[in-house]
Amino acid sequence: MTTDTKENTSTQNSDNLESNDATLNTTTSDAKDARQFGKVAVVYGGSSNERSVSLDSGAAVLQALQNQGVDATHFDPKHQDITELREYDRVFNVLHGRGGEDGLLQGVLQWFDIPQTGSGILASALGMDKVRTKQLWQGCGLATAPFSLLTAETDWQQVVNMLGLPLIIKPVHEGSSIGMTKVNNLDELPAAYATAVQCGDAVMAERWITGREFTIVIIDDEAYPVIRLEPADITNFYDFEAKYNRNDTSYYIPCGLSAADEKHLQDLSLSAFRAVDAKGWGRIDAMQDEAGNFWLLEINTVPGMTSHSLVPMAAKARGMDFDALCWHILAQTLE
């Protein structure tokens, strides 16, 4: 797994945690024989803006399953007829972005009565819509960063008056930080909106939370050890480059929170995960402001599984290697 410029610190912390939890290096699934899974389609690639990430994630998952004797095959909806999935016994979904993470694939598989990893139609559709996710969290009394929907006719000054500066401008229906821009002054807002709207009509502005960024991996309704993220340029944000292409982002496990604060953040994340009816596995992103308050940002129901990805990091800290992690997620389809 690729680490970062603070490799000695973060890797050492992770290794210490692994040694303490060495007894956890087994899956809790009853699946002991790869033949129980039958013929498995690992669905990845697709036509979304996250295709390149999906190809990397899916190839890693496919190799991990094949390493363990699973009859797993790559299935790419960009090049194959979706009805061909009827030939498979179950699906491991690593199709990031629209088409695979928004309820569309989930609906097709439910119609075909094919077991699939991860969340169902409702949670997937909600999770891919940042605004509706945040509205739901607000309705549940869960703290999420204040936001506003934008259009071409939006009064930019009014947005700044309401949310302050800096701001983060986001496409509502994209993942992997695609189309996102940090805005430091009023004059930058029109260009940031123009960048985001290229990804779709729905665009939002969100209050910039100054503080520390965390991600919380959830598997089997359990929050794994919290990871703190620190981009090389701490004045910027954890963007697409930092997530997938750079090697100078730092990841910290342990995350540096007190035991009480980490437990509070894990509980908050579990509540957020359950609120959207997410299942199986996923990831919650959050911030802690300078006053110590936690703010939910978004949920990811089909997280990345690349060398830079956060789910494998958290699983490793929990005592589960990548092959075991993939087996464990696939075994959820047997339940």
Side-chain angles (χ1 to χ4, degrees):
M1 179 172 61
T2 304
T3 50
D4 49 62
T5 55
K6 297 186 180 177
E7 185 176 15
N8 292 336
T9 301
S10 52
T11 304
Q12 180 179 0
N13 288 342
S14 179
D15 289 346
N16 287 343
L17 188 53
E18 288 173 303
S19 64
N20 291 339
D21 288 344
T23 57
L24 299 174
N25 196 15
T26 59
T27 64
T28 57
S29 166
D30 291 333
K32 305 300 181 187
D33 189 331
R35 290 174 295 184
Q36 289 180 263
F37 297 123
K39 189 177 180 182
V40 178
V42 182
V43 181
Y44 62 96
S47 303
S48 80
N49 289 330
E50 296 184 70
R51 175 177 172 80
S52 63
V53 180
S54 180
L55 287 171
D56 288 345
S57 289
V61 170
L62 179 63
Q63 186 63 60
L65 296 178
Q66 290 177 342
N67 288 345
Q68 299 169 93
V70 177
D71 180 12
T73 306
H74 175 205
F75 188 99
D76 189 342
K78 183 175 182 179
H79 303 301
Q80 294 169 264
D81 190 319
I82 200 70
T83 61
E84 294 175 24
L85 284 173
R86 286 175 164 164
E87 301 171 11
Y88 294 86
D89 296 298
R90 64 199 68 252
V91 163
F92 196 123
N93 178 15
V94 208
L95 194 62
H96 304 318
R98 299 184 198 186
E101 201 167 350
D102 57 2
L104 186 60
L105 178 63
Q106 290 76 11
V108 169
L109 293 173
Q110 184 172 316
W111 182 263
F112 291 165
D113 196 26
I114 299 172
Q116 59 187 296
T117 56
S119 295
I121 300 169
L122 175 62
S124 301
L126 279 172
M128 200 65 193
D129 189 315
K130 295 180 177 66
V131 167
R132 284 175 172 78
T133 296
K134 289 167 77 70
Q135 289 171 334
L136 178 61
W137 285 342
Q138 287 177 331
C140 295
L142 303 174
T144 184
F147 68 97
S148 176
L149 275 169
L150 306 178
T151 69
E153 288 74 41
T154 294
D155 183 331
W156 306 121
Q157 184 63 61
Q158 187 176 20
V159 173
V160 171
N161 292 344
M162 179 172 60
L163 298 176
L165 287 169
L167 292 169
I168 189 79
I169 308 303
K170 303 178 178 181
V172 172
H173 301 118
E174 285 290 353
S176 293
S177 301
I178 291 170
M180 288 171 53
T181 306
K182 182 182 179 183
V183 168
N184 293 298
N185 60 67
L186 178 66
D187 294 341
E188 296 172 354
L189 265 168
Y193 173 79
T195 296
V197 81
Q198 292 178 26
C199 300
D201 292 340
V203 176
M204 63 184 286
E206 187 178 64
R207 179 179 295 168
W208 179 266
I209 304 296
T210 299
R212 300 193 291 178
E213 185 168 0
F214 300 93
T215 197
I216 305 88
V217 171
I218 296 172
I219 301 176
D220 287 335
D221 207 40
E222 176 189 350
Y224 277 39
V226 174
I227 302 173
R228 177 164 60 92
L229 319 171
E230 189 176 292
D233 179 3
I234 60 174
T235 64
N236 209 329
F237 64 97
Y238 189 50
D239 61 6
F240 186 92
E241 283 294 310
K243 286 179 177 177
Y244 301 112
N245 296 329
R246 297 178 60 134
N247 291 318
D248 56 2
T249 301
S250 296
Y251 306 96
Y252 294 95
I253 309 176
C255 63
L257 292 171
S258 68
D261 278 349
E262 180 164 10
K263 178 65 163 56
H264 173 66
L265 181 54
Q266 288 173 318
D267 289 345
L268 175 64
S269 300
L270 278 170
S271 295
F273 193 78
R274 294 165 181 162
V276 300
D277 197 36
K279 305 291 184 185
W281 69 305
R283 202 186 76 227
I284 298 287
D285 297 330
M287 295 288 299
Q288 184 186 39
D289 65 24
E290 293 173 317
N293 303 305
F294 290 111
W295 299 90
L296 297 166
L297 297 180
E298 55 190 75
I299 184 172
N300 191 322
T301 56
V302 184
M305 294 286 274
T306 72
S307 61
H308 284 62
S309 295
L310 301 166
V311 171
M313 284 185 206
K316 183 179 179 183
R318 182 68 169 72
M320 188 183 297
D321 66 25
F322 189 78
D323 282 10
L325 169 66
C326 294
W327 178 284
H328 185 78
I329 293 171
L330 182 61
Q332 294 171 346
T333 64
L334 298 172
E335 298 172 359

